[in-house]
Amino acid sequence: MTACLDILSNKNYLILKLSNLWVVFILFISFQSLAQPPRESGSYLFPIRPGEQNFLSGTMGEMRTTHFHGGLDIKTGGRIGLPVHATSDGYIIRMNTNTGGYGHALYLKHDDGNVSVYGHLDRFNDELESYMHKKHYENQKYDLRVFPKKDEFRYLKGDIIAYSGNTGSSSGPHLHFEIRSPDQRFLNPLDFGFTEIRDNLPPLIKKIAFITKSKDARVNGAFGRFEFDVLKVKGTYNIRKPIALSGRIGVEIYHYDHLNGTYHRNGIPEITMTINNDTVFRQEKSSMSFDLNRNILAHMSYETFSRTRRKFNKLYVDDGNRQDIYTVAEGIFNFNSEDDYELEIFLRDNFDNITTLSNQVNNRKIVYPEVPQISSFKVQENVLQYVSPDTSSTVFYAHKNVQQVPYFSRSGKNYFLWDLNEGLPDSIVTGEKVYQPNFYLSMPSGISYSFYNTDFDLESYRKSLFDTLHIRFHKSYDSLMNQEDFTFYNSRSPLAGNLKIILKPEGNYDKKAAVFSKYRNSLSYEGGEQLPDGTFRFFTRELKRFTIAYDSIPPVLTPISWSNPNLKFKITDQLSGIKSYKATLNGEFLLLVYDPKKNLVTVRAKNSNKRLEGEFILTIEDNLGNITELKRNL
């Protein structure tokens, strides 16, 4: 066999290519290991059923809707109440009981400085449960964060500290388990030598996408973002049709990883992309910043996720993405010659199973031209795409007009491009039709910025935006719902932080009105406050359709059990949602445990062995001040 030797070295593994045969050597030298001593295999104990095979429904660093997952989700077979063991010697530094987030959670600091986190617990061990119960009554509330003194609760590796559950924002029974460094970075628990998890299955690549990153770039002759199917042949993925690329192009992949014994779509810690054997992008997730977690919205293709719920991993670092998992961050490649390009992508999972995609791309021949998938207007990067049956177009902006010709035509449709850096179009004329793209402003990123208008005011902060945001807006009246609609056409543009909006309705509203987001005829409470001049101020991380609506209907309170002292009640609210719930017995505080997944509140008496006697009052209030009260003598 004639050997043609290609080498890819990225400090974590070495891949030798002998002709068409890939030979993989794993070198256990990670970027993190260069900064800290190697971890001792088995020095940490697996927190659920240690020594037995366990299964995961989530891994550290996988892409969730608004964040990177911070640890492992350990399956508990659909049960609650499994013993949770201290992973190493240490003392409790924090205890949470919340209706959202991690629910009941423990934070255990270890002698090496790391902190382990145990979330969605059903309950703590008896010692900690009794301590937290006293704190609930001292603070007279259920949602509570407590910080015990150093060494007040010290445990040895293997001690039972809690029992698994389904509290907080959990969607099913499991244990959420994290290991954090002394500076509060997420560490990958699977780097700590746990033998309870097994995996010999390589990662899967389901699709690849190419996206034009400049106005003159093309994918198979077209501007835009285009997805392609892949096929695995002899262990290597290939793209199923010829690809012609020119100009500045970004690459994205839709991928996930299966572990033995489960079909959950887990994350992949390490991805490398090379072009002509040069590494142009590499991400590695053995350690991640807690503070930069929201940058996932720039890490994945958010517009694609908004449409399809598929999370495509960008193999480039977009503007405004401050996440620090990229060791080679170029990514966007300029295909500027007539030569063939060898594109290769390598995925390595937590157990060193490697998947490869290898493909030639060629910018000379367009075998299968792509057709842009747009119906009217679409903004990508700083380019406006629009389509018309007419072959000529005029863009009017800033008292100027520019004649446009289509860059692409197909099946009676003509496709045009306009660089928004030239100016925001006031209107576009094609043939006898006049289109209003409804641009209001270009909001810059990285600075505080304010905009004032007759329909709304908009204010951004230094960290509100990932990139320049081209605001499109339209105000209308919904006669069927009798509502004023304030529609921002930017719902598929991710925001890094909050924006402040002041809506300026024409109608007069009383105190039972508030801001709601609107999807078709479905409303979701946004909140905010009504100002003295009748406007409504609120903060949001999503620009979408908003309206002003009323809620004058009080919450519904239904007794479920009068078994004394463990009284139970179902509470629901039709529109604005539950704001508060409280109970008293003879005027004194009585603890309520709220499970929003079941719409259930349960009385937890100060003394669980003593019956409640006297006047019991339960009060439920929604977000617009509507109150339901129940009184009963026990």
PDB file of all heavy atoms in Angstrom, residues 576-607:
ATOM      1  N   SER A 576     -51.823  36.043  34.166  1.00  0.00           N
ATOM      2  CA  SER A 576     -50.543  36.660  34.535  1.00  0.00           C
ATOM      3  C   SER A 576     -49.654  35.764  35.379  1.00  0.00           C
ATOM      4  O   SER A 576     -48.458  36.024  35.510  1.00  0.00           O
ATOM      5  CB  SER A 576     -50.786  37.983  35.273  1.00  0.00           C
ATOM      6  OG  SER A 576     -51.465  37.779  36.492  1.00  0.00           O
ATOM      7  N   GLY A 577     -50.211  34.711  35.991  1.00  0.00           N
ATOM      8  CA  GLY A 577     -49.396  33.767  36.745  1.00  0.00           C
ATOM      9  C   GLY A 577     -49.333  34.085  38.232  1.00  0.00           C
ATOM     10  O   GLY A 577     -49.589  35.207  38.668  1.00  0.00           O
ATOM     11  N   ILE A 578     -48.951  33.066  39.016  1.00  0.00           N
ATOM     12  CA  ILE A 578     -48.879  33.186  40.466  1.00  0.00           C
ATOM     13  C   ILE A 578     -47.681  34.045  40.864  1.00  0.00           C
ATOM     14  O   ILE A 578     -46.548  33.780  40.462  1.00  0.00           O
ATOM     15  CB  ILE A 578     -48.773  31.805  41.135  1.00  0.00           C
ATOM     16  CG1 ILE A 578     -49.965  30.923  40.760  1.00  0.00           C
ATOM     17  CG2 ILE A 578     -48.654  31.950  42.649  1.00  0.00           C
ATOM     18  CD1 ILE A 578     -51.297  31.407  41.267  1.00  0.00           C
ATOM     19  N   LYS A 579     -47.931  35.079  41.655  1.00  0.00           N
ATOM     20  CA  LYS A 579     -46.851  35.919  42.181  1.00  0.00           C
ATOM     21  C   LYS A 579     -46.438  35.486  43.582  1.00  0.00           C
ATOM     22  O   LYS A 579     -45.249  35.399  43.891  1.00  0.00           O
ATOM     23  CB  LYS A 579     -47.289  37.383  42.206  1.00  0.00           C
ATOM     24  CG  LYS A 579     -46.263  38.318  42.825  1.00  0.00           C
ATOM     25  CD  LYS A 579     -46.802  39.745  42.908  1.00  0.00           C
ATOM     26  CE  LYS A 579     -45.792  40.675  43.558  1.00  0.00           C
ATOM     27  NZ  LYS A 579     -46.325  42.064  43.663  1.00  0.00           N
ATOM     28  N   SER A 580     -47.414  35.238  44.464  1.00  0.00           N
ATOM     29  CA  SER A 580     -47.079  34.895  45.844  1.00  0.00           C
ATOM     30  C   SER A 580     -48.138  33.970  46.429  1.00  0.00           C
ATOM     31  O   SER A 580     -49.271  33.907  45.950  1.00  0.00           O
ATOM     32  CB  SER A 580     -46.956  36.160  46.706  1.00  0.00           C
ATOM     33  OG  SER A 580     -48.210  36.809  46.817  1.00  0.00           O
ATOM     34  N   TYR A 581     -47.742  33.270  47.480  1.00  0.00           N
ATOM     35  CA  TYR A 581     -48.627  32.366  48.208  1.00  0.00           C
ATOM     36  C   TYR A 581     -48.172  32.381  49.663  1.00  0.00           C
ATOM     37  O   TYR A 581     -46.974  32.369  49.954  1.00  0.00           O
ATOM     38  CB  TYR A 581     -48.565  30.943  47.630  1.00  0.00           C
ATOM     39  CG  TYR A 581     -47.154  30.451  47.403  1.00  0.00           C
ATOM     40  CD1 TYR A 581     -46.473  29.736  48.382  1.00  0.00           C
ATOM     41  CD2 TYR A 581     -46.489  30.751  46.213  1.00  0.00           C
ATOM     42  CE1 TYR A 581     -45.171  29.313  48.183  1.00  0.00           C
ATOM     43  CE2 TYR A 581     -45.180  30.331  46.012  1.00  0.00           C
ATOM     44  CZ  TYR A 581     -44.522  29.613  46.997  1.00  0.00           C
ATOM     45  OH  TYR A 581     -43.231  29.212  46.809  1.00  0.00           O
ATOM     46  N   LYS A 582     -49.114  32.457  50.575  1.00  0.00           N
ATOM     47  CA  LYS A 582     -48.738  32.467  51.984  1.00  0.00           C
ATOM     48  C   LYS A 582     -49.874  31.869  52.813  1.00  0.00           C
ATOM     49  O   LYS A 582     -51.044  31.919  52.436  1.00  0.00           O
ATOM     50  CB  LYS A 582     -48.409  33.876  52.465  1.00  0.00           C
ATOM     51  CG  LYS A 582     -49.561  34.852  52.432  1.00  0.00           C
ATOM     52  CD  LYS A 582     -49.130  36.227  52.961  1.00  0.00           C
ATOM     53  CE  LYS A 582     -50.292  37.217  52.949  1.00  0.00           C
ATOM     54  NZ  LYS A 582     -49.885  38.541  53.479  1.00  0.00           N
ATOM     55  N   ALA A 583     -49.482  31.288  53.940  1.00  0.00           N
ATOM     56  CA  ALA A 583     -50.456  30.687  54.852  1.00  0.00           C
ATOM     57  C   ALA A 583     -50.128  31.118  56.272  1.00  0.00           C
ATOM     58  O   ALA A 583     -48.949  31.305  56.628  1.00  0.00           O
ATOM     59  CB  ALA A 583     -50.432  29.165  54.737  1.00  0.00           C
ATOM     60  N   THR A 584     -51.171  31.277  57.067  1.00  0.00           N
ATOM     61  CA  THR A 584     -50.990  31.584  58.494  1.00  0.00           C
ATOM     62  C   THR A 584     -51.904  30.682  59.309  1.00  0.00           C
ATOM     63  O   THR A 584     -52.949  30.216  58.846  1.00  0.00           O
ATOM     64  CB  THR A 584     -51.334  33.055  58.800  1.00  0.00           C
ATOM     65  OG1 THR A 584     -52.697  33.311  58.457  1.00  0.00           O
ATOM     66  CG2 THR A 584     -50.415  34.008  58.061  1.00  0.00           C
ATOM     67  N   LEU A 585     -51.482  30.435  60.544  1.00  0.00           N
ATOM     68  CA  LEU A 585     -52.302  29.721  61.521  1.00  0.00           C
ATOM     69  C   LEU A 585     -52.378  30.607  62.760  1.00  0.00           C
ATOM     70  O   LEU A 585     -51.338  30.886  63.383  1.00  0.00           O
ATOM     71  CB  LEU A 585     -51.688  28.361  61.854  1.00  0.00           C
ATOM     72  CG  LEU A 585     -52.504  27.494  62.814  1.00  0.00           C
ATOM     73  CD1 LEU A 585     -53.806  27.043  62.158  1.00  0.00           C
ATOM     74  CD2 LEU A 585     -51.688  26.281  63.278  1.00  0.00           C
ATOM     75  N   ASN A 586     -53.559  31.082  63.041  1.00  0.00           N
ATOM     76  CA  ASN A 586     -53.760  32.027  64.150  1.00  0.00           C
ATOM     77  C   ASN A 586     -52.858  33.250  63.994  1.00  0.00           C
ATOM     78  O   ASN A 586     -52.301  33.769  64.962  1.00  0.00           O
ATOM     79  CB  ASN A 586     -53.518  31.344  65.500  1.00  0.00           C
ATOM     80  CG  ASN A 586     -54.475  30.190  65.727  1.00  0.00           C
ATOM     81  OD1 ASN A 586     -55.654  30.275  65.386  1.00  0.00           O
ATOM     82  ND2 ASN A 586     -53.956  29.097  66.287  1.00  0.00           N
ATOM     83  N   GLY A 587     -52.691  33.684  62.740  1.00  0.00           N
ATOM     84  CA  GLY A 587     -51.905  34.876  62.440  1.00  0.00           C
ATOM     85  C   GLY A 587     -50.411  34.657  62.359  1.00  0.00           C
ATOM     86  O   GLY A 587     -49.674  35.592  62.033  1.00  0.00           O
ATOM     87  N   GLU A 588     -49.920  33.431  62.620  1.00  0.00           N
ATOM     88  CA  GLU A 588     -48.488  33.157  62.576  1.00  0.00           C
ATOM     89  C   GLU A 588     -48.119  32.416  61.288  1.00  0.00           C
ATOM     90  O   GLU A 588     -48.915  31.639  60.742  1.00  0.00           O
ATOM     91  CB  GLU A 588     -48.067  32.325  63.790  1.00  0.00           C
ATOM     92  CG  GLU A 588     -48.230  33.062  65.110  1.00  0.00           C
ATOM     93  CD  GLU A 588     -47.663  32.265  66.278  1.00  0.00           C
ATOM     94  OE1 GLU A 588     -47.201  31.130  66.055  1.00  0.00           O
ATOM     95  OE2 GLU A 588     -47.693  32.789  67.401  1.00  0.00           O
ATOM     96  N   PHE A 589     -46.891  32.658  60.830  1.00  0.00           N
ATOM     97  CA  PHE A 589     -46.399  32.094  59.578  1.00  0.00           C
ATOM     98  C   PHE A 589     -46.496  30.574  59.571  1.00  0.00           C
ATOM     99  O   PHE A 589     -46.174  29.902  60.550  1.00  0.00           O
ATOM    100  CB  PHE A 589     -44.942  32.516  59.355  1.00  0.00           C
ATOM    101  CG  PHE A 589     -44.270  31.825  58.199  1.00  0.00           C
ATOM    102  CD1 PHE A 589     -44.487  32.248  56.899  1.00  0.00           C
ATOM    103  CD2 PHE A 589     -43.415  30.742  58.427  1.00  0.00           C
ATOM    104  CE1 PHE A 589     -43.854  31.613  55.832  1.00  0.00           C
ATOM    105  CE2 PHE A 589     -42.778  30.106  57.368  1.00  0.00           C
ATOM    106  CZ  PHE A 589     -42.999  30.543  56.070  1.00  0.00           C
ATOM    107  N   LEU A 590     -46.930  30.036  58.419  1.00  0.00           N
ATOM    108  CA  LEU A 590     -47.002  28.601  58.214  1.00  0.00           C
ATOM    109  C   LEU A 590     -46.344  28.308  56.871  1.00  0.00           C
ATOM    110  O   LEU A 590     -46.713  28.887  55.837  1.00  0.00           O
ATOM    111  CB  LEU A 590     -48.464  28.134  58.215  1.00  0.00           C
ATOM    112  CG  LEU A 590     -48.757  26.651  58.378  1.00  0.00           C
ATOM    113  CD1 LEU A 590     -48.196  26.121  59.694  1.00  0.00           C
ATOM    114  CD2 LEU A 590     -50.261  26.406  58.324  1.00  0.00           C
ATOM    115  N   LEU A 591     -45.348  27.428  56.847  1.00  0.00           N
ATOM    116  CA  LEU A 591     -44.561  27.172  55.642  1.00  0.00           C
ATOM    117  C   LEU A 591     -45.389  26.445  54.583  1.00  0.00           C
ATOM    118  O   LEU A 591     -46.067  25.465  54.873  1.00  0.00           O
ATOM    119  CB  LEU A 591     -43.312  26.347  55.991  1.00  0.00           C
ATOM    120  CG  LEU A 591     -42.405  25.972  54.816  1.00  0.00           C
ATOM    121  CD1 LEU A 591     -41.778  27.215  54.197  1.00  0.00           C
ATOM    122  CD2 LEU A 591     -41.310  25.001  55.276  1.00  0.00           C
ATOM    123  N   LEU A 592     -45.285  26.939  53.339  1.00  0.00           N
ATOM    124  CA  LEU A 592     -45.884  26.279  52.185  1.00  0.00           C
ATOM    125  C   LEU A 592     -44.775  25.845  51.239  1.00  0.00           C
ATOM    126  O   LEU A 592     -43.865  26.625  50.926  1.00  0.00           O
ATOM    127  CB  LEU A 592     -46.821  27.237  51.437  1.00  0.00           C
ATOM    128  CG  LEU A 592     -48.121  27.634  52.121  1.00  0.00           C
ATOM    129  CD1 LEU A 592     -48.847  28.687  51.291  1.00  0.00           C
ATOM    130  CD2 LEU A 592     -49.016  26.415  52.330  1.00  0.00           C
ATOM    131  N   VAL A 593     -44.832  24.607  50.769  1.00  0.00           N
ATOM    132  CA  VAL A 593     -43.911  24.091  49.758  1.00  0.00           C
ATOM    133  C   VAL A 593     -44.658  24.080  48.432  1.00  0.00           C
ATOM    134  O   VAL A 593     -45.708  23.441  48.305  1.00  0.00           O
ATOM    135  CB  VAL A 593     -43.421  22.682  50.119  1.00  0.00           C
ATOM    136  CG1 VAL A 593     -42.510  22.140  49.025  1.00  0.00           C
ATOM    137  CG2 VAL A 593     -42.686  22.708  51.457  1.00  0.00           C
ATOM    138  N   TYR A 594     -44.123  24.787  47.445  1.00  0.00           N
ATOM    139  CA  TYR A 594     -44.802  24.961  46.156  1.00  0.00           C
ATOM    140  C   TYR A 594     -44.128  24.118  45.086  1.00  0.00           C
ATOM    141  O   TYR A 594     -42.920  24.193  44.886  1.00  0.00           O
ATOM    142  CB  TYR A 594     -44.782  26.442  45.768  1.00  0.00           C
ATOM    143  CG  TYR A 594     -45.435  26.779  44.451  1.00  0.00           C
ATOM    144  CD1 TYR A 594     -46.584  26.126  44.019  1.00  0.00           C
ATOM    145  CD2 TYR A 594     -44.917  27.789  43.638  1.00  0.00           C
ATOM    146  CE1 TYR A 594     -47.185  26.450  42.814  1.00  0.00           C
ATOM    147  CE2 TYR A 594     -45.518  28.134  42.444  1.00  0.00           C
ATOM    148  CZ  TYR A 594     -46.651  27.455  42.028  1.00  0.00           C
ATOM    149  OH  TYR A 594     -47.242  27.792  40.839  1.00  0.00           O
ATOM    150  N   ASP A 595     -44.926  23.303  44.377  1.00  0.00           N
ATOM    151  CA  ASP A 595     -44.456  22.520  43.236  1.00  0.00           C
ATOM    152  C   ASP A 595     -45.174  23.042  41.995  1.00  0.00           C
ATOM    153  O   ASP A 595     -46.305  22.658  41.712  1.00  0.00           O
ATOM    154  CB  ASP A 595     -44.756  21.037  43.445  1.00  0.00           C
ATOM    155  CG  ASP A 595     -44.193  20.165  42.314  1.00  0.00           C
ATOM    156  OD1 ASP A 595     -43.778  20.729  41.284  1.00  0.00           O
ATOM    157  OD2 ASP A 595     -44.184  18.927  42.463  1.00  0.00           O
ATOM    158  N   PRO A 596     -44.539  23.957  41.228  1.00  0.00           N
ATOM    159  CA  PRO A 596     -45.232  24.552  40.070  1.00  0.00           C
ATOM    160  C   PRO A 596     -45.527  23.551  38.966  1.00  0.00           C
ATOM    161  O   PRO A 596     -46.427  23.785  38.161  1.00  0.00           O
ATOM    162  CB  PRO A 596     -44.254  25.646  39.607  1.00  0.00           C
ATOM    163  CG  PRO A 596     -42.929  25.249  40.149  1.00  0.00           C
ATOM    164  CD  PRO A 596     -43.186  24.517  41.416  1.00  0.00           C
ATOM    165  N   LYS A 597     -44.764  22.444  38.904  1.00  0.00           N
ATOM    166  CA  LYS A 597     -45.044  21.438  37.871  1.00  0.00           C
ATOM    167  C   LYS A 597     -46.388  20.760  38.106  1.00  0.00           C
ATOM    168  O   LYS A 597     -47.064  20.349  37.170  1.00  0.00           O
ATOM    169  CB  LYS A 597     -43.915  20.400  37.835  1.00  0.00           C
ATOM    170  CG  LYS A 597     -42.605  20.927  37.288  1.00  0.00           C
ATOM    171  CD  LYS A 597     -41.631  19.804  37.003  1.00  0.00           C
ATOM    172  CE  LYS A 597     -40.977  19.275  38.245  1.00  0.00           C
ATOM    173  NZ  LYS A 597     -40.026  20.234  38.835  1.00  0.00           N
ATOM    174  N   LYS A 598     -46.778  20.652  39.367  1.00  0.00           N
ATOM    175  CA  LYS A 598     -48.058  20.040  39.718  1.00  0.00           C
ATOM    176  C   LYS A 598     -49.097  21.067  40.161  1.00  0.00           C
ATOM    177  O   LYS A 598     -50.217  20.699  40.518  1.00  0.00           O
ATOM    178  CB  LYS A 598     -47.852  19.018  40.841  1.00  0.00           C
ATOM    179  CG  LYS A 598     -46.952  17.847  40.471  1.00  0.00           C
ATOM    180  CD  LYS A 598     -46.785  16.890  41.651  1.00  0.00           C
ATOM    181  CE  LYS A 598     -45.885  15.718  41.294  1.00  0.00           C
ATOM    182  NZ  LYS A 598     -45.686  14.799  42.445  1.00  0.00           N
ATOM    183  N   ASN A 599     -48.714  22.357  40.142  1.00  0.00           N
ATOM    184  CA  ASN A 599     -49.587  23.429  40.635  1.00  0.00           C
ATOM    185  C   ASN A 599     -50.074  23.120  42.052  1.00  0.00           C
ATOM    186  O   ASN A 599     -51.246  23.343  42.386  1.00  0.00           O
ATOM    187  CB  ASN A 599     -50.793  23.621  39.700  1.00  0.00           C
ATOM    188  CG  ASN A 599     -50.389  24.071  38.317  1.00  0.00           C
ATOM    189  OD1 ASN A 599     -49.534  24.931  38.161  1.00  0.00           O
ATOM    190  ND2 ASN A 599     -50.983  23.465  37.309  1.00  0.00           N
ATOM    191  N   LEU A 600     -49.163  22.644  42.890  1.00  0.00           N
ATOM    192  CA  LEU A 600     -49.529  22.141  44.210  1.00  0.00           C
ATOM    193  C   LEU A 600     -48.766  22.874  45.306  1.00  0.00           C
ATOM    194  O   LEU A 600     -47.547  23.062  45.201  1.00  0.00           O
ATOM    195  CB  LEU A 600     -49.226  20.643  44.283  1.00  0.00           C
ATOM    196  CG  LEU A 600     -49.791  19.850  45.461  1.00  0.00           C
ATOM    197  CD1 LEU A 600     -51.307  19.729  45.329  1.00  0.00           C
ATOM    198  CD2 LEU A 600     -49.160  18.456  45.502  1.00  0.00           C
ATOM    199  N   VAL A 601     -49.488  23.318  46.355  1.00  0.00           N
ATOM    200  CA  VAL A 601     -48.836  23.827  47.554  1.00  0.00           C
ATOM    201  C   VAL A 601     -49.189  22.898  48.712  1.00  0.00           C
ATOM    202  O   VAL A 601     -50.340  22.471  48.849  1.00  0.00           O
ATOM    203  CB  VAL A 601     -49.235  25.283  47.896  1.00  0.00           C
ATOM    204  CG1 VAL A 601     -48.639  26.254  46.909  1.00  0.00           C
ATOM    205  CG2 VAL A 601     -50.731  25.446  47.978  1.00  0.00           C
ATOM    206  N   THR A 602     -48.191  22.577  49.517  1.00  0.00           N
ATOM    207  CA  THR A 602     -48.363  21.671  50.652  1.00  0.00           C
ATOM    208  C   THR A 602     -47.909  22.369  51.923  1.00  0.00           C
ATOM    209  O   THR A 602     -46.832  22.978  51.957  1.00  0.00           O
ATOM    210  CB  THR A 602     -47.540  20.385  50.458  1.00  0.00           C
ATOM    211  OG1 THR A 602     -47.922  19.765  49.227  1.00  0.00           O
ATOM    212  CG2 THR A 602     -47.763  19.405  51.604  1.00  0.00           C
ATOM    213  N   VAL A 603     -48.727  22.299  52.946  1.00  0.00           N
ATOM    214  CA  VAL A 603     -48.367  22.877  54.242  1.00  0.00           C
ATOM    215  C   VAL A 603     -47.319  21.988  54.906  1.00  0.00           C
ATOM    216  O   VAL A 603     -47.467  20.759  54.953  1.00  0.00           O
ATOM    217  CB  VAL A 603     -49.604  23.008  55.151  1.00  0.00           C
ATOM    218  CG1 VAL A 603     -49.187  23.403  56.572  1.00  0.00           C
ATOM    219  CG2 VAL A 603     -50.573  24.029  54.576  1.00  0.00           C
ATOM    220  N   ARG A 604     -46.249  22.615  55.396  1.00  0.00           N
ATOM    221  CA  ARG A 604     -45.238  21.891  56.168  1.00  0.00           C
ATOM    222  C   ARG A 604     -45.145  22.566  57.538  1.00  0.00           C
ATOM    223  O   ARG A 604     -44.544  23.628  57.685  1.00  0.00           O
ATOM    224  CB  ARG A 604     -43.888  21.890  55.456  1.00  0.00           C
ATOM    225  CG  ARG A 604     -42.846  21.018  56.146  1.00  0.00           C
ATOM    226  CD  ARG A 604     -41.622  20.829  55.276  1.00  0.00           C
ATOM    227  NE  ARG A 604     -41.912  20.045  54.086  1.00  0.00           N
ATOM    228  CZ  ARG A 604     -41.040  19.833  53.098  1.00  0.00           C
ATOM    229  NH1 ARG A 604     -39.836  20.366  53.166  1.00  0.00           N
ATOM    230  NH2 ARG A 604     -41.384  19.099  52.061  1.00  0.00           N
ATOM    231  N   ALA A 605     -45.783  21.942  58.526  1.00  0.00           N
ATOM    232  CA  ALA A 605     -45.887  22.534  59.855  1.00  0.00           C
ATOM    233  C   ALA A 605     -44.528  22.626  60.533  1.00  0.00           C
ATOM    234  O   ALA A 605     -43.602  21.878  60.225  1.00  0.00           O
ATOM    235  CB  ALA A 605     -46.850  21.723  60.712  1.00  0.00           C
ATOM    236  N   LYS A 606     -44.427  23.553  61.474  1.00  0.00           N
ATOM    237  CA  LYS A 606     -43.179  23.708  62.218  1.00  0.00           C
ATOM    238  C   LYS A 606     -42.873  22.443  63.001  1.00  0.00           C
ATOM    239  O   LYS A 606     -41.722  22.010  63.093  1.00  0.00           O
ATOM    240  CB  LYS A 606     -43.292  24.910  63.157  1.00  0.00           C
ATOM    241  CG  LYS A 606     -41.978  25.348  63.772  1.00  0.00           C
ATOM    242  CD  LYS A 606     -42.139  26.672  64.503  1.00  0.00           C
ATOM    243  CE  LYS A 606     -40.799  27.193  64.991  1.00  0.00           C
ATOM    244  NZ  LYS A 606     -40.938  28.516  65.662  1.00  0.00           N
ATOM    245  N   ASN A 607     -43.909  21.836  63.559  1.00  0.00           N
ATOM    246  CA  ASN A 607     -43.785  20.546  64.253  1.00  0.00           C
ATOM    247  C   ASN A 607     -44.646  19.537  63.499  1.00  0.00           C
ATOM    248  O   ASN A 607     -45.873  19.565  63.583  1.00  0.00           O
ATOM    249  CB  ASN A 607     -44.243  20.664  65.706  1.00  0.00           C
ATOM    250  CG  ASN A 607     -44.026  19.390  66.490  1.00  0.00           C
ATOM    251  OD1 ASN A 607     -43.772  18.318  65.923  1.00  0.00           O
ATOM    252  ND2 ASN A 607     -44.122  19.473  67.815  1.00  0.00           N
TER     253      ASN A 607
END
